[in-house]
Amino acid sequence: MRLARRPVGDVGPDDWEHVTEAAAAPGAGRFAGRTRYISLDPAMRGWLDDRPSYLPPVGIGEVMRAASIVEVTESDHPDFQVGDLVTGAFGVQERVVSDGRGALKIDPAAASPSTYLGALGMPGLTAYFGLLDVGALKDGDTVVVSGAAGAVGSMVGQIAKAKGCRVIGIAGGAEKCALLTGELGFDAAIDYRTENVRKALRTHAPDGIDVYFDNVGGDVLDAALANLARHARVVICGAISQYNTTTGVQGPANYLALLVARARMEGFVIFDYAPRFTEAAREIGGWIAAGRIKVLEHVVKGTVDDFPATLQMLFRGENTGKLVLELD
Amino acid sequence: MRLARRPVGDVGPDDWEHVTEAAAAPGAGRFAGRTRYISLDPAMRGWLDDRPSYLPPVGIGEVMRAASIVEVTESDHPDFQVGDLVTGAFGVQERVVSDGRGALKIDPAAASPSTYLGALGMPGLTAYFGLLDVGALKDGDTVVVSGAAGAVGSMVGQIAKAKGCRVIGIAGGAEKCALLTGELGFDAAIDYRTENVRKALRTHAPDGIDVYFDNVGGDVLDAALANLARHARVVICGAISQYNTTTGVQGPANYLALLVARARMEGFVIFDYAPRFTEAAREIGGWIAAGRIKVLEHVVKGTVDDFPATLQMLFRGENTGKLVLELD
C-alpha cells in the first residue's frame, strides 16, 4: 500500500495506491516473510504531512510506514528461521523482505503476537515512559488520561493503577467509559461526548490533577489545564482531535494555567527511550502475567486493501484498545 | 486609588475612583509614610479580573495593589525610623500606614530607590529565577526573550549575557531594538512590528532556541515554538498581548512542537522563591555594580491620578524598561 498523494484533512481512499509486485527471494543476509498483523496508530496521520517532525514524512509512492508482525517464510539470515515471528517497521505490505535491521523476534508463548504491537509494543512503551519518566509519576498522584480507551490511554491508566494512583479516564461514549471503570480498574471515567469535561474533572479530581496525559488536544486539553494541581505535569503524547484539521491546530487557550499552577507541559518521542525498552517491556509483561493489566485490542480481519478504511476508525474513535489489522 | 469596577478589555479611567481621606496617625507598632515611587506591572491587569489566580483579585472598592517605595514620616515601630525608605505592597496611595509586615528597608546608598522596584525588585528576581531555575540555563544556550525591552525582559537578556549565553531579544520598534543590541549587549534583536518573527528567529538562531522566556504570548509565542532546539525550555512568565482580550486567550497553536523537540513549557510564580530573594538580589547587585547589567527605567512623574493612564502605557508598549510612577 503506497502513499499516492498527501491527504488534506481526513485521509481518503484516493490517497492510497495498492500496487502488486512479484515477491522477491530474500537473497544473502536477508529473510522474507508474510505479514500477519499491521499496527494502526494515530501518529500515522502526522507521517503523511510534508513537514519536519520526529520522523521524515512518508514519501509519495513509498510503502506506508507501519509496525507489523511478520512470519518468516524463507531465510538466508543467520538470526531468523522459517516460522519465526518478527516485529519491526515493515510497512503496509503483504510480503516483506528484510536484512534484519530493526527486526526483533517475539515470543508467541509469552503473549499473543499482536500484543507486541500494543501493550508490549510502542503504545505500551509510550504509556510507560510518558507516565513514569515525562510525567514523573509519584505516589498518591491523581492521574487523568484522555483517549483513555485507546492503545496508549488504556495502558497509561492501568500502569498508573498498578503504581497505586487514582486514575480518571476521558473517552467517547458510555460503552468505553463502562469498560474503563468496569474492566480496567479506573476510578472514574468521563464521556467527553455527553459531559462537561471541565466540570466533571472538578468533581472527580477536587484537589486538582497531578499528571495529565494528553492524547487528544483541543477542548479536552483545555478542560484539563483548567483543573491542574500545583506542580502538575502535562504530558503531550498526541493530539488526535487536531490531526485532520484544515483550519489550523487549536492551541490550548488555558495554557496560562501553567503559570498559576507552577506546572509544566512536556513533549517526548518514544524512540529516545530505546535503550530502556527491554526493561520496560519486562515490567509491563509482569503486570500482564499477574493480571494487573488487561490487554485491550481491537482486531480487524482483512487484507492490506482494508488499511485505509481501518485507519479512519482511529479518527472517528471507533476502536477500543489497540487497533490491529490481521491479514487473512 | 480604589478599584471602582471590573474592567472589560482595556482598563479605562472609569474603572478607578480617587478617594481622599485624612491621613491617619500610625498608632502603636506602626509607621506612616509618604509614597515616593509606585511600580506599574503587567501582572496588575490579572489582579483586576474576578477569577482564581496566584493572588486573590483586588476587590471592588479596595485600594489598588502595587509595590511601592515609601519614605517613613512618622513611626511608632521599633524597626522603622523617620526618613527610612521602605519597599512593600503598599498600594496606589499617597500616604501609607503599615504595621511593617512585608515591608523591607532599602539602602539608597547601594542603588537609587526605584531600582528596588525593578532590577533589584520583583522584575529582576522574576528574570533571575525564571531564567536560571525554571529555564535551567546552561552554558552555550541560545536564549530568546520576548518583551525584551521591558522590566523583566531586559533583565532576562542581560542575565543570560552575564552567564555567557547568546541572546536574541524580541521587542516592538526600531528604537527598542537598537537599545537592546547597542546598550544592553544583546546579540540580536527582532522588531515584531515590522519583521516576520518566525523567519527572523530561524536566521538568528539557526540551531534552534534552547531557552525561550515568554512575556507576551500570542503570535510571538507561536513563532518561538516553531524554532525550538531539542530539549528546549519554554518559560511562561506572562502574556501581555492577551491580558486585555475580550474574545478569549489565543492558545499556542504550535504547542505540538514540544513533542517534536522533546521540549517543555513551564510556568512559575515568583513568590515561591522568596527564601532565595536575598541571594539573588546580591548577585544581581554585583552585576549592576560591575557594570555588566544596566538598569533600564522609565520614570513618569505625577500623582496617583496619573496611575490609570500610566498603567495603560504597558499594554501599548510605550515603556522602555521598568515603568515607575514617581510622585511629586
Side-chain angles (χ1 to χ4, degrees), chain A residues 209-211 228-234 258 261-265:
Chain A
I209 302 165
D210 297 302
V211 178
L228 297 183
R230 275 212 190 170
H231 306 296
R233 288 81 71 199
V234 176
L258 295 175
R262 296 88 158 146
R264 72 165 189 247
M265 180 186 285

Side-chain angles (χ1 to χ4, degrees), chain A residues 20-26 32-33 73-74 94-97:
Chain A
T20 303
E21 295 169 358
T73 52
E74 199 174 343
E94 291 163 2
R95 299 278 170 171
V96 167
V97 171

Side-chain angles (χ1 to χ4, degrees), chain A residues 53-54 214 217-218 221 230 236-239 249-253 255-256 258-260 262-269 272, chain B residues 53-54 214 217-218 221 230 236-239 249-253 255-256 258-260 262-269 272:
Chain A
S53 189
Y54 61 98
D214 191 39
L221 172 55
R230 275 212 190 170
I236 300 296
C237 178
V249 168
Q250 177 187 341
Y255 82 104
L256 290 169
L258 295 175
L259 192 156
V260 179
R262 296 88 158 146
R264 72 165 189 247
M265 180 186 285
E266 187 162 357
F268 71 109
V269 171
D272 295 347
Chain B
S53 188
Y54 60 97
D214 192 38
L221 172 55
R230 272 209 192 175
I236 300 297
C237 178
V249 168
Q250 176 186 341
Y255 82 104
L256 289 169
L258 296 175
L259 193 156
V260 179
R262 297 86 158 147
R264 73 164 188 248
M265 181 186 284
E266 188 162 355
F268 71 110
V269 170
D272 295 346

Side-chain angles (χ1 to χ4, degrees), chain A residues 40 118 147-155 158 171-181 183-184 186 193 294-300 310 313-324:
Chain A
L40 295 110
V152 174
S154 62
M155 291 296 291
Q158 293 187 90
E175 206 169 325
K176 286 182 181 176
C177 287
L179 178 86
L180 296 179
T181 51
E183 297 289 316
L184 302 191
F186 283 50
R193 291 185 180 159
K294 290 186 184 166
V295 173
L296 205 60
E297 286 182 354
H298 194 128
V299 179
V300 172
T310 310
M313 292 176 63
L314 290 170
F315 303 102
R316 292 192 293 254
E318 291 173 357
N319 62 304
T320 299
K322 174 63 198 166
L323 183 63
V324 171

Side-chain angles (χ1 to χ4, degrees), chain B residues 143-160:
Chain B
V143 176
V144 173
V145 56
S146 60
V152 174
S154 61
M155 290 297 291
V156 168
Q158 293 187 90
I159 293 171

Side-chain angles (χ1 to χ4, degrees), chain B residues 294-310:
Chain B
K294 291 185 183 167
V295 173
L296 206 60
E297 286 183 355
H298 194 128
V299 179
V300 173
K301 298 192 183 199
T303 69
V304 293
D305 284 327
D306 295 307
F307 171 78
T310 310

